[in-house]
Amino acid sequence: MRAERVFAYGAAAGLLGDLLLGDPRRGHPVAAFGRAAGAVEQRLWRDHRGWGALHTLVCAGGATALGAAAAHAVRRSPAASIALTGAAAWAVVGGTSLAREAGAARAPLPHLCGRDPQSLDADGIARAVVESVAENTSDAVVGALVWGAVAGVPGLLGFRAVNTLDAMVGHKSSRYRRYGWASARLDDLAGWPGARLTAALTTVAGGNPRGAVRAWRADAARHPSPNAGPVEASFAGALGVRLGGTLSYGGRVEPRPVLNGAAGRAVRAGSGDIDRAVRLSRRVGWLALGVCAGARLLVRGAPGRGRPQGHLTERPVGHLTGHLVGRLKGRAS
């Protein structure tokens, strides 16, 4: 069985597993990675960019190498390769947990996005949740699928490792301003394609394609995050609401631009805006699976890219990425 079919079947199984099972309350692989990354930080931490870069290399590189080694070990068995891809996809995507936490609003808000719920009224909390649903659609679902299509299981695990490191050390506190610099920059780079695909699919899956495109073009660049901007702006336009504005993170007030301010209304608690955002997020996630699997099939079918049917390989999209992942697998074997 060809690798592109392995990815399509495995990723679909992973998304179905997330839909039916959600995240385990104990023993989640991402939580285990977080504990390991925390242990590495305890040994390496210095108020220096170079030590932070080493931390990023050890943790993200280790997760990617583990995925490469696992994929290499099962490469001759299509069933095992699909099962491994499905397990990896289930472990790294978080659509169902995101939907559950979004529905709970005030209590899990700091867990969703690090904001201070005490500084927000009910409408402010609803707006913050919608923004977090939008951003995490890219971070927790679409971005992982993009890198899974590019590099298989190593791409799935590597992307989630980078995203988790950014959440752990990539923020601008006194401890992590230098140490977390590499993790934050790598997360920006890794999240770039997934954020643009999320924004594009939002224009298709939302109820207002013109509004989504208009808000994306007009307001995305005003957001301080290069990846959250397109996603949140397109969600705002698709849902017909205003997002952004003044935020509070751990007692620190941060002014943000208003997204879709000219055409959108304020997000209102109890109006169903959160539920609409969650439904849009789910549609975008399944569309992303179709696009990523389809793109991999098309690239595989391009002239000069065929392989004998009996070979099961993880061939990434793009010559450079394929070369790098191939070398990584060679080292793991």
Side-chain angles (χ1 to χ4, degrees), residues 36-45 55 59 168-169 175-176 179:
V40 173
E41 179 189 342
Q42 288 182 353
R43 290 184 173 272
L44 295 183
W45 187 91
H55 174 251
C59 295
M168 294 178 67
V169 304
R175 178 178 175 86
Y176 296 124
Y179 188 82

Side-chain angles (χ1 to χ4, degrees), residues 53-313:
L54 179 60
H55 174 251
T56 304
L57 177 63
V58 169
C59 295
T64 305
L66 178 63
H72 182 80
V74 300
R75 70 192 185 281
R76 298 188 183 279
S77 170
S81 296
I82 291 172
L84 176 64
T85 303
W90 166 80
V92 303
V93 302
T96 295
S97 293
L98 173 63
R100 291 172 180 170
E101 291 170 355
R106 182 181 294 269
L109 184 57
H111 177 70
L112 274 171
C113 57
R115 301 178 193 177
D116 180 10
Q118 302 305 320
S119 66
L120 300 173
D121 59 14
D123 291 344
I125 290 174
R127 187 199 76 203
V129 171
V130 170
E131 291 168 0
S132 297
V133 168
E135 185 174 359
N136 283 287
T137 301
S138 176
D139 288 344
V141 182
V142 180
L145 292 173
V146 167
W147 284 102
V150 169
V153 172
L156 288 166
L157 299 187
F159 174 80
R160 190 55 191 269
V162 169
N163 190 250
T164 303
L165 287 175
D166 178 62
M168 294 178 67
V169 304
H171 41 87
K172 295 180 180 180
S173 66
S174 58
R175 178 178 175 86
Y176 296 124
R177 189 176 300 275
R178 294 184 181 88
Y179 188 82
W181 178 85
S183 291
R185 298 290 77 76
L186 183 59
D187 182 67
D188 287 343
L189 181 63
W192 196 95
R196 274 71 194 168
L197 178 59
T198 302
L201 294 178
T202 298
T203 68
V204 177
N208 187 355
R210 289 185 179 180
V213 172
R214 181 176 60 248
W216 179 7
R217 295 180 60 183
D219 297 331
R222 301 170 58 217
H223 197 287
S225 168
N227 294 331
V231 174
E232 290 185 19
S234 61
F235 258 70
L239 297 172
V241 299
R242 294 193 301 270
L243 298 178
T246 302
L247 302 176
S248 176
Y249 287 81
R252 176 172 58 89
V253 176
E254 180 177 337
R256 292 280 182 89
V258 176
L259 308 177
N260 198 39
R265 60 167 176 79
V267 176
R268 296 189 296 269
S271 67
D273 288 335
I274 292 176
D275 291 337
R276 292 170 59 225
V278 169
R279 290 194 296 269
L280 176 57
S281 175
R282 288 197 184 280
R283 292 195 296 271
V284 168
W286 285 103
L287 282 174
L289 172 63
V291 169
C292 291
R296 183 153 182 163
L297 285 166
L298 288 174
V299 170
R300 179 67 182 215
R305 288 186 175 269
R307 280 182 180 264
Q309 185 73 18
H311 288 267
L312 177 64
T313 58

Side-chain angles (χ1 to χ4, degrees), residues 147 150-151 315-327:
W147 284 102
V150 169
R315 178 153 186 157
V317 178
H319 177 72
L320 177 59
T321 306
H323 174 68
L324 292 174
V325 174
R327 292 189 64 183

